Amino acid sequence: MVRAAERAGRPPRTSVWLEDRAPRGGGRGGGGQPSGLDRDRITAATVRLLDAEGLTKFSMRRLAAELNVTAMSVYWYVDTKDDLLELALDAAFGEIRPPDPEPHPGSDPEPHQGPDPKPGPEPRRSADPDPDPDPGPDPAPASSDWREELRTLARAYRALLVRHPWLSSLAGTFLNIGPHAVAFQLAVQRVVRRTGLRTAGQAGALSAVFQFVYGFGTIEGHFVRRCAAAGMSQDDYHRRAMSAVTREPGLREAVRDSADLRQARADGTVEEIRDRDFAFALELLIAGIETMVRRGE
């Protein structure tokens, strides 16, 4: 077990994933090491506790009680609580299954504006004219399915943030360089490279799409958890909240000015309205990428 004294004189920890140490655990019970435990089991229990009780209530003692071991036993497998939270963060990202990194040659293209493509298009030839006389370090030609893959990844990330409301806080706290998180990041980068955007604009496209999803999923996840804590459905909670807001004199003008927006979104449950809003916003971002590609940005 690593003790604090052993860390004296060492630089501050950057990430549990950058520690130059052989994996601990094995559950053999030798040398005072607790049997029946390993890092995977501890990490899975951490995710369950964070889902059930939230980040603020999480502690190593609470985790040890969940595992029916002493708190010191957990430290055979991790040095600090932060290390364990980093492991839980990456374990959650493991729920996302990134699409195949190779383009799907049999997929049908989603049309841009303009005439529909003719049936049975010929394969691309290297001699085809390039409208950009100076491609430079630009990405490979756009894949036919990048839009749907981008939608798939965006939906998966949103669902992950809603299932695990604690994740957004940890993703903004730690480097988030575990293997599952990196696999997701690489999948997103591969898709954006196939959009046809110039290399200089790809980071902006990544930020536009996935910072939007991060914000949307974070707010949604906290709202869902708040409704559950209140013992109310999302629709009942929303109705009660809106009733209280409309009675507040200081908010009446804002409520009145947004009446047309609420009326336009009135058809459906809170979840259905939220799904429509997310889908429309995502399509706006995809359309923006397509527009920038046409402009040669």
Side-chain angles (χ1 to χ4, degrees):
M1 182 168 51
V2 176
R3 299 180 184 278
E6 297 173 20
R7 304 182 57 81
R10 293 172 57 183
R13 291 173 72 86
T14 305
S15 169
V16 67
W17 302 106
L18 300 178
E19 288 294 295
D20 185 17
R21 184 190 302 115
R24 294 192 226 158
R28 294 190 300 271
Q33 189 172 332
S35 71
L37 282 184
D38 57 40
R39 183 175 273 189
D40 289 343
R41 183 184 168 201
I42 293 170
T43 302
T46 299
V47 172
R48 289 196 305 272
L49 276 178
L50 290 170
D51 286 344
E53 301 178 1
L55 186 58
T56 57
K57 293 184 179 180
F58 179 79
S59 70
M60 299 298 265
R61 288 186 179 278
R62 179 68 188 88
L63 173 64
E66 177 75 10
L67 292 167
N68 197 28
V69 298
T70 66
M72 295 306 293
S73 298
V74 178
Y75 287 103
W76 282 101
Y77 303 92
V78 292
D79 286 352
T80 68
K81 175 182 172 181
D82 280 356
D83 286 358
L84 191 51
L85 292 176
E86 268 198 275
L87 293 170
L89 173 63
D90 193 67
F93 268 94
E95 297 172 15
I96 295 179
R97 296 290 180 264
D100 187 343
E102 296 299 323
H104 304 290
S107 60
D108 294 326
E110 180 170 331
H112 289 271
Q113 291 183 356
D116 293 336
K118 295 179 181 179
E122 296 182 0
R124 281 195 296 269
R125 299 184 178 89
S126 58
D128 287 346
D130 186 351
D132 188 346
D134 182 21
D138 287 351
S143 167
S144 60
D145 62 352
W146 69 264
R147 300 165 193 79
E148 190 53 42
E149 288 192 8
L150 190 63
R151 293 184 189 105
T152 298
L153 288 167
R155 293 174 191 135
Y157 188 32
R158 173 196 171 194
L160 186 73
L161 289 161
V162 174
R163 282 196 304 274
H164 307 297
W166 47 270
L167 187 143
S168 59
S169 177
L170 296 187
T173 300
F174 299 114
L175 285 180
N176 203 16
I177 55 172
H180 294 118
V182 169
F184 174 71
Q185 293 159 14
L186 291 176
V188 170
Q189 291 173 20
R190 284 192 295 265
V191 172
V192 172
R193 286 193 183 102
R194 298 205 303 273
T195 61
L197 283 170
R198 287 182 173 276
T199 304
Q202 290 175 13
L206 285 167
S207 294
V209 174
F210 286 93
Q211 291 296 332
F212 151 69
V213 178
Y214 176 88
F216 195 103
T218 296
I219 293 172
E220 180 180 3
H222 288 309
F223 178 76
V224 170
R225 187 174 184 86
R226 189 160 61 246
C227 294
M232 302 173 67
S233 71
Q234 295 182 47
D235 293 299
D236 288 342
Y237 190 97
H238 181 261
R239 278 191 292 269
R240 178 173 292 188
M242 287 305 301
S243 176
V245 167
T246 55
R247 292 196 303 268
E248 177 60 37
L251 297 174
R252 284 176 184 166
E253 183 178 356
V255 171
R256 185 168 55 250
D257 287 348
S258 62
D260 58 334
L261 296 178
R262 294 197 310 278
Q263 183 59 37
R265 302 165 71 241
D267 183 21
T269 66
V270 168
E271 292 180 76
E272 290 168 345
I273 293 169
R274 198 165 51 225
D275 286 346
R276 289 199 300 265
D277 287 348
F278 180 85
F280 186 81
L282 186 56
E283 292 308 305
L284 284 177
L285 292 167
I286 290 173
I289 293 173
E290 293 176 321
T291 298
M292 298 301 277
V293 170
R294 288 195 295 271
R295 287 168 50 180
E297 298 289 342

